[in-house]
Amino acid sequence: MDKLPQHKISMHSDFGIHLRKVNSSQSKHIPMTYAHQDDYYMFGLVENGKGCSIIDFKEQHFAPGDIVLIQPGQVHHCISLENAEYWVLFIDSCFVDYAEKCIFDNFSLFASSFQMDEQRRNELKQIASLLAGRMDNITDKQTKTTAIHMAKTLVSIVAEAVQDINQQQTKHSRRHMEIVLSFRHLLAEHLATSRLPSYYASLLNISTVYLNEVVKDVTGMSATLYIKNELVLQAKRLLVHTDLAVKEISNRLGLDDYAYFSRLFAQTTGINPTLFRERNLE
Protein backbone atom coordinates (compact mmCIF):
# COMPACT_ATOMS: atom_id res chain seq x y z
CA MET A 1 0.00 0.00 0.00
CA ASP A 2 1.42 3.40 -0.93
CA LYS A 3 2.46 5.50 2.05
CA LEU A 4 2.53 8.65 -0.04
CA PRO A 5 -0.07 8.27 -2.79
CA GLN A 6 0.69 9.90 -6.10
CA HIS A 7 -1.04 13.22 -6.58
CA LYS A 8 -3.29 13.04 -9.60
CA ILE A 9 -3.70 16.04 -11.86
CA SER A 10 -7.44 15.75 -11.22
CA MET A 11 -6.73 17.26 -7.80
CA HIS A 12 -6.09 20.51 -9.63
CA SER A 13 -8.49 20.49 -12.57
CA ASP A 14 -10.80 18.19 -14.46
CA PHE A 15 -8.83 18.29 -17.71
CA GLY A 16 -5.17 17.81 -16.84
CA ILE A 17 -3.93 21.38 -16.38
CA HIS A 18 -3.63 23.67 -13.41
CA LEU A 19 -1.74 26.95 -12.95
CA ARG A 20 -0.96 28.53 -9.61
CA LYS A 21 0.75 31.76 -8.54
CA VAL A 22 2.42 31.34 -5.15
CA ASN A 23 3.67 33.94 -2.69
CA SER A 24 5.34 32.00 0.12
CA SER A 25 4.82 34.77 2.66
CA GLN A 26 1.06 34.97 2.02
CA SER A 27 -0.17 31.93 0.13
CA LYS A 28 -2.21 29.13 1.63
CA HIS A 29 -0.73 26.89 -1.08
CA ILE A 30 2.63 26.24 0.54
CA PRO A 31 4.57 23.49 -1.29
CA MET A 32 4.62 20.08 0.35
CA THR A 33 7.51 19.59 2.74
CA TYR A 34 7.36 15.79 2.68
CA ALA A 35 8.74 13.62 -0.10
CA HIS A 36 6.16 12.61 -2.70
CA GLN A 37 5.71 11.73 -6.36
CA ASP A 38 3.37 13.16 -8.97
CA ASP A 39 2.19 11.60 -12.22
CA TYR A 40 2.45 14.82 -14.23
CA TYR A 41 5.00 17.49 -15.23
CA MET A 42 5.59 20.57 -13.10
CA PHE A 43 7.16 23.75 -14.44
CA GLY A 44 8.05 26.50 -11.98
CA LEU A 45 9.00 30.08 -12.92
CA VAL A 46 10.60 31.99 -10.03
CA GLU A 47 9.92 35.74 -10.03
CA ASN A 48 11.26 36.79 -6.62
CA GLY A 49 12.93 35.37 -3.54
CA LYS A 50 14.74 32.08 -3.33
CA GLY A 51 14.36 28.57 -2.04
CA CYS A 52 15.56 25.00 -2.06
CA SER A 53 13.93 21.72 -2.97
CA ILE A 54 15.03 18.11 -3.05
CA ILE A 55 14.43 16.49 -6.45
CA ASP A 56 15.26 12.80 -6.65
CA PHE A 57 17.31 13.18 -3.45
CA LYS A 58 19.50 16.02 -4.74
CA GLU A 59 19.36 19.62 -3.48
CA GLN A 60 18.19 22.14 -6.07
CA HIS A 61 18.51 25.83 -5.17
CA PHE A 62 16.51 28.39 -7.15
CA ALA A 63 16.50 32.17 -7.51
CA PRO A 64 14.66 34.84 -9.56
CA GLY A 65 14.59 33.98 -13.25
CA ASP A 66 15.02 30.24 -12.68
CA ILE A 67 12.88 27.61 -14.31
CA VAL A 68 12.45 24.46 -12.23
CA LEU A 69 11.41 21.26 -14.01
CA ILE A 70 10.02 18.22 -12.19
CA GLN A 71 9.17 15.22 -14.34
CA PRO A 72 6.56 12.51 -13.66
CA GLY A 73 7.77 9.99 -11.11
CA GLN A 74 10.50 12.11 -9.58
CA VAL A 75 10.39 12.18 -5.79
CA HIS A 76 10.51 15.74 -4.53
CA HIS A 77 9.76 18.06 -1.66
CA CYS A 78 10.38 21.65 -0.61
CA ILE A 79 13.00 22.41 2.06
CA SER A 80 12.88 26.19 2.30
CA LEU A 81 11.35 29.33 0.79
CA GLU A 82 12.47 32.90 1.44
CA ASN A 83 9.94 35.49 0.22
CA ALA A 84 9.51 33.38 -2.89
CA GLU A 85 7.02 34.35 -5.58
CA TYR A 86 6.60 32.01 -8.50
CA TRP A 87 4.26 30.52 -11.05
CA VAL A 88 3.88 26.75 -11.22
CA LEU A 89 2.16 24.87 -14.03
CA PHE A 90 0.92 21.31 -13.45
CA ILE A 91 0.29 19.56 -16.76
CA ASP A 92 -0.56 16.00 -17.73
CA SER A 93 2.12 14.29 -19.84
CA CYS A 94 -0.41 13.75 -22.65
CA PHE A 95 -0.14 17.49 -23.39
CA VAL A 96 3.68 17.37 -23.66
CA ASP A 97 4.79 16.42 -27.16
CA TYR A 98 7.19 13.51 -27.68
CA ALA A 99 9.92 15.84 -29.00
CA GLU A 100 9.55 18.03 -25.91
CA LYS A 101 9.74 15.00 -23.63
CA CYS A 102 13.02 14.05 -25.32
CA ILE A 103 14.37 17.57 -24.74
CA PHE A 104 13.43 17.44 -21.06
CA ASP A 105 14.86 13.91 -20.71
CA ASN A 106 18.10 15.12 -22.25
CA PHE A 107 18.28 18.04 -19.84
CA SER A 108 17.51 15.85 -16.81
CA LEU A 109 20.79 14.02 -17.39
CA PHE A 110 22.54 17.13 -16.08
CA ALA A 111 20.16 19.37 -14.08
CA SER A 112 16.62 20.15 -12.88
CA SER A 113 16.67 23.94 -13.11
CA PHE A 114 18.20 26.72 -15.20
CA GLN A 115 18.24 30.49 -15.57
CA MET A 116 15.97 31.57 -18.42
CA ASP A 117 16.75 34.53 -20.68
CA GLU A 118 14.76 37.71 -20.07
CA GLN A 119 12.80 37.69 -23.32
CA ARG A 120 11.41 34.18 -22.84
CA ARG A 121 10.87 34.84 -19.14
CA ASN A 122 8.67 37.84 -19.98
CA GLU A 123 6.78 35.77 -22.54
CA LEU A 124 6.10 33.10 -19.93
CA LYS A 125 4.86 35.67 -17.42
CA GLN A 126 2.45 37.13 -19.98
CA ILE A 127 1.13 33.72 -21.00
CA ALA A 128 0.85 32.62 -17.37
CA SER A 129 -1.19 35.73 -16.52
CA LEU A 130 -3.49 35.18 -19.49
CA LEU A 131 -3.84 31.49 -18.73
CA ALA A 132 -4.66 32.23 -15.08
CA GLY A 133 -7.55 34.40 -16.26
CA ARG A 134 -8.74 31.69 -18.61
CA MET A 135 -8.59 29.02 -15.89
CA ASP A 136 -11.03 31.08 -13.82
CA ASN A 137 -13.52 31.22 -16.68
CA ILE A 138 -13.74 27.76 -18.17
CA THR A 139 -17.34 27.59 -19.34
CA ASP A 140 -17.40 25.15 -22.26
CA LYS A 141 -15.34 22.83 -24.44
CA GLN A 142 -13.93 25.65 -26.56
CA THR A 143 -12.67 27.75 -23.64
CA LYS A 144 -11.12 24.59 -22.21
CA THR A 145 -9.39 23.93 -25.54
CA THR A 146 -8.06 27.49 -25.58
CA ALA A 147 -6.61 27.05 -22.08
CA ILE A 148 -4.94 23.80 -23.15
CA HIS A 149 -3.33 25.49 -26.16
CA MET A 150 -2.02 28.30 -23.95
CA ALA A 151 -0.55 25.81 -21.47
CA LYS A 152 1.09 23.87 -24.30
CA THR A 153 2.57 27.12 -25.63
CA LEU A 154 4.09 27.77 -22.22
CA VAL A 155 5.62 24.27 -22.21
CA SER A 156 6.94 24.79 -25.76
CA ILE A 157 8.73 28.00 -24.76
CA VAL A 158 10.39 26.18 -21.85
CA ALA A 159 11.37 23.33 -24.20
CA GLU A 160 12.80 25.88 -26.67
CA ALA A 161 14.97 27.41 -23.93
CA VAL A 162 16.05 24.00 -22.64
CA GLN A 163 17.03 22.92 -26.15
CA ASP A 164 19.26 26.00 -26.48
CA ILE A 165 20.94 25.09 -23.20
CA ASN A 166 21.35 21.46 -24.26
CA GLN A 167 23.04 22.55 -27.48
CA GLN A 168 25.32 25.04 -25.71
CA GLN A 169 26.38 22.82 -22.84
CA THR A 170 26.69 19.39 -24.38
CA LYS A 171 29.67 18.55 -26.55
CA HIS A 172 28.29 15.13 -27.32
CA SER A 173 27.08 14.03 -30.72
CA ARG A 174 23.38 13.72 -31.38
CA ARG A 175 23.86 10.00 -31.98
CA HIS A 176 25.45 9.54 -28.56
CA MET A 177 22.65 11.45 -26.86
CA GLU A 178 20.02 9.39 -28.68
CA ILE A 179 21.68 6.15 -27.55
CA VAL A 180 21.88 7.27 -23.92
CA LEU A 181 18.25 8.42 -23.86
CA SER A 182 17.12 5.14 -25.45
CA PHE A 183 19.26 3.28 -22.90
CA ARG A 184 17.55 5.17 -20.06
CA HIS A 185 14.08 4.40 -21.41
CA LEU A 186 14.96 0.71 -21.73
CA LEU A 187 16.29 0.71 -18.18
CA ALA A 188 12.98 2.08 -16.92
CA GLU A 189 11.18 -0.83 -18.61
CA HIS A 190 13.62 -3.70 -18.05
CA LEU A 191 15.60 -2.92 -14.90
CA ALA A 192 13.98 -5.76 -12.95
CA THR A 193 14.72 -8.15 -15.81
CA SER A 194 18.42 -7.48 -16.28
CA ARG A 195 21.21 -5.29 -14.98
CA LEU A 196 23.77 -6.39 -17.56
CA PRO A 197 25.04 -3.84 -20.11
CA SER A 198 25.14 -6.62 -22.72
CA TYR A 199 21.36 -7.06 -22.39
CA TYR A 200 20.71 -3.39 -23.20
CA ALA A 201 23.36 -3.28 -25.92
CA SER A 202 21.54 -6.17 -27.59
CA LEU A 203 18.21 -4.32 -27.41
CA LEU A 204 19.90 -1.27 -28.93
CA ASN A 205 21.60 -3.37 -31.65
CA ILE A 206 25.06 -2.15 -30.68
CA SER A 207 28.04 -3.80 -29.05
CA THR A 208 28.52 -3.77 -25.29
CA VAL A 209 31.86 -2.04 -25.73
CA TYR A 210 30.25 0.74 -27.77
CA LEU A 211 27.42 1.15 -25.25
CA ASN A 212 29.96 1.57 -22.45
CA GLU A 213 31.94 4.05 -24.52
CA VAL A 214 28.86 6.17 -25.31
CA VAL A 215 27.42 6.14 -21.78
CA LYS A 216 30.78 7.11 -20.31
CA ASP A 217 31.22 9.90 -22.86
CA VAL A 218 27.83 11.44 -22.01
CA THR A 219 27.46 10.73 -18.29
CA GLY A 220 31.03 10.23 -17.11
CA MET A 221 30.32 6.72 -15.85
CA SER A 222 30.33 3.23 -17.31
CA ALA A 223 27.09 1.54 -18.33
CA THR A 224 27.51 -0.85 -15.39
CA LEU A 225 27.79 2.01 -12.89
CA TYR A 226 24.91 3.87 -14.53
CA ILE A 227 22.70 0.79 -14.19
CA LYS A 228 23.69 0.42 -10.52
CA ASN A 229 22.90 4.09 -9.84
CA GLU A 230 19.52 3.75 -11.56
CA LEU A 231 18.76 0.68 -9.47
CA VAL A 232 19.60 2.58 -6.28
CA LEU A 233 17.49 5.59 -7.40
CA GLN A 234 14.47 3.35 -8.00
CA ALA A 235 15.07 1.75 -4.61
CA LYS A 236 15.18 5.20 -2.96
CA ARG A 237 11.89 6.15 -4.60
CA LEU A 238 10.22 2.96 -3.40
CA LEU A 239 11.64 3.30 0.10
CA VAL A 240 10.26 6.82 0.46
CA HIS A 241 7.10 6.47 -1.58
CA THR A 242 5.73 3.09 -0.48
CA ASP A 243 5.16 0.90 2.56
CA LEU A 244 6.85 -2.06 0.87
CA ALA A 245 9.28 -3.96 3.08
CA VAL A 246 12.93 -3.72 2.04
CA LYS A 247 12.86 -7.36 0.95
CA GLU A 248 9.80 -6.69 -1.21
CA ILE A 249 11.55 -3.73 -2.82
CA SER A 250 14.56 -5.91 -3.53
CA ASN A 251 12.32 -8.49 -5.21
CA ARG A 252 10.46 -5.83 -7.20
CA LEU A 253 13.79 -4.61 -8.57
CA GLY A 254 14.69 -8.14 -9.64
CA LEU A 255 17.11 -8.93 -6.82
CA ASP A 256 16.14 -12.12 -5.01
CA ASP A 257 19.20 -11.87 -2.77
CA TYR A 258 18.02 -9.38 -0.14
CA ALA A 259 21.42 -9.30 1.60
CA TYR A 260 23.14 -8.40 -1.68
CA PHE A 261 20.63 -5.62 -2.33
CA SER A 262 21.22 -4.15 1.13
CA ARG A 263 25.01 -4.24 0.65
CA LEU A 264 24.75 -2.64 -2.78
CA PHE A 265 22.50 0.11 -1.47
CA ALA A 266 24.78 0.81 1.51
CA GLN A 267 27.90 0.86 -0.68
CA THR A 268 26.31 3.46 -2.95
CA THR A 269 24.59 5.69 -0.39
CA GLY A 270 26.62 5.13 2.77
CA ILE A 271 23.61 3.93 4.78
CA ASN A 272 21.38 0.87 4.74
CA PRO A 273 17.89 0.95 3.18
CA THR A 274 16.03 1.00 6.50
CA LEU A 275 17.99 3.98 7.83
CA PHE A 276 17.57 5.81 4.51
CA ARG A 277 13.80 5.37 4.76
CA GLU A 278 13.72 6.60 8.35
CA ARG A 279 15.77 9.72 7.58
CA ASN A 280 13.70 10.66 4.55
CA LEU A 281 10.35 10.22 6.27
CA GLU A 282 11.17 12.32 9.32
Side-chain angles (χ1 to χ4, degrees), residues 2-281:
D2 280 358
K3 180 175 296 183
L4 302 172
Q6 282 193 329
H7 298 161
K8 302 296 182 183
I9 195 72
S10 58
M11 289 176 61
H12 305 291
S13 77
D14 64 350
F15 61 100
I17 290 172
H18 179 68
L19 180 71
R20 181 183 296 163
K21 179 100 181 258
V22 178
N23 183 323
S24 65
S25 62
Q26 302 173 2
S27 179
K28 298 177 182 178
H29 303 293
I30 300 301
M32 295 174 189
T33 55
Y34 61 85
H36 62 285
Q37 287 177 309
D38 298 307
D39 62 353
Y40 44 82
Y41 283 87
M42 293 173 60
F43 298 91
L45 168 60
V46 183
E47 290 192 300
N48 294 295
K50 59 183 180 179
C52 180
S53 292
I54 299 289
I55 303 176
D56 267 345
F57 313 100
K58 295 179 182 177
E59 281 195 9
Q60 300 288 338
H61 295 268
F62 52 84
D66 279 355
I67 296 290
V68 181
L69 167 61
I70 299 176
Q71 304 205 61
Q74 289 190 306
V75 172
H76 59 97
H77 68 283
C78 181
I79 296 179
S80 65
L81 292 173
E82 296 182 32
N83 300 315
E85 294 181 50
Y86 57 92
W87 290 97
V88 58
L89 173 69
F90 307 82
I91 183 166
D92 192 283
S93 60
C94 70
F95 296 125
V96 180
D97 293 343
Y98 175 75
E100 293 168 344
K101 289 177 180 176
C102 290
I103 290 170
F104 298 141
D105 282 348
N106 185 334
F107 180 68
S108 70
L109 284 169
F110 310 104
S112 294
S113 64
F114 67 97
Q115 181 76 197
M116 177 171 273
D117 62 273
E118 185 176 3
Q119 179 179 333
R120 290 194 181 103
R121 190 163 67 243
N122 288 334
E123 290 172 350
L124 289 185
K125 290 178 184 178
Q126 291 172 13
I127 294 172
S129 295
L130 292 170
L131 178 57
R134 285 284 181 175
M135 295 295 291
D136 290 334
N137 293 284
I138 300 295
T139 57
D140 54 30
K141 184 176 179 180
Q142 186 54 50
T143 54
K144 185 181 294 185
T145 298
T146 301
I148 290 171
H149 284 311
M150 293 174 74
K152 292 178 70 173
T153 299
L154 192 152
V155 172
S156 293
I157 292 173
V158 175
E160 183 181 84
V162 170
Q163 181 170 254
D164 283 353
I165 291 172
N166 287 343
Q167 292 173 346
Q168 292 168 9
Q169 292 187 346
T170 184
K171 299 178 181 178
H172 315 295
S173 71
R174 176 177 295 182
R175 173 62 176 159
H176 280 195
M177 292 303 303
E178 288 174 350
I179 289 174
V180 170
L181 291 176
S182 295
F183 172 55
R184 290 183 72 198
H185 292 154
L186 288 171
L187 267 180
E189 296 176 15
H190 301 276
L191 186 60
T193 302
S194 177
R195 289 154 301 284
L196 296 175
S198 57
Y199 175 85
Y200 296 97
S202 176
L203 291 177
L204 291 165
N205 295 312
I206 59 177
S207 71
T208 305
V209 172
Y210 185 52
L211 175 62
N212 268 303
E213 176 187 317
V214 170
V215 173
K216 189 162 189 177
D217 174 54
V218 173
T219 70
M221 63 186 82
S222 67
T224 298
L225 180 57
Y226 193 94
I227 292 170
K228 183 176 77 170
N229 287 347
E230 182 63 22
L231 179 75
V232 171
L233 173 59
Q234 294 303 325
K236 287 179 177 179
R237 289 176 173 177
L238 290 168
L239 285 165
V240 173
H241 186 61
T242 74
D243 276 332
L244 292 172
V246 175
K247 188 172 183 178
E248 292 176 300
I249 290 173
S250 177
N251 290 335
R252 179 175 288 195
L253 293 173
L255 296 173
D256 296 328
D257 188 340
Y258 160 67
Y260 169 73
F261 166 71
S262 294
R263 288 197 305 273
L264 175 66
F265 189 93
Q267 288 170 359
T268 304
T269 65
I271 58 176
N272 65 49
T274 301
L275 184 56
F276 178 86
R277 168 175 271 168
E278 290 173 356
R279 287 185 179 178
N280 282 275
L281 291 180

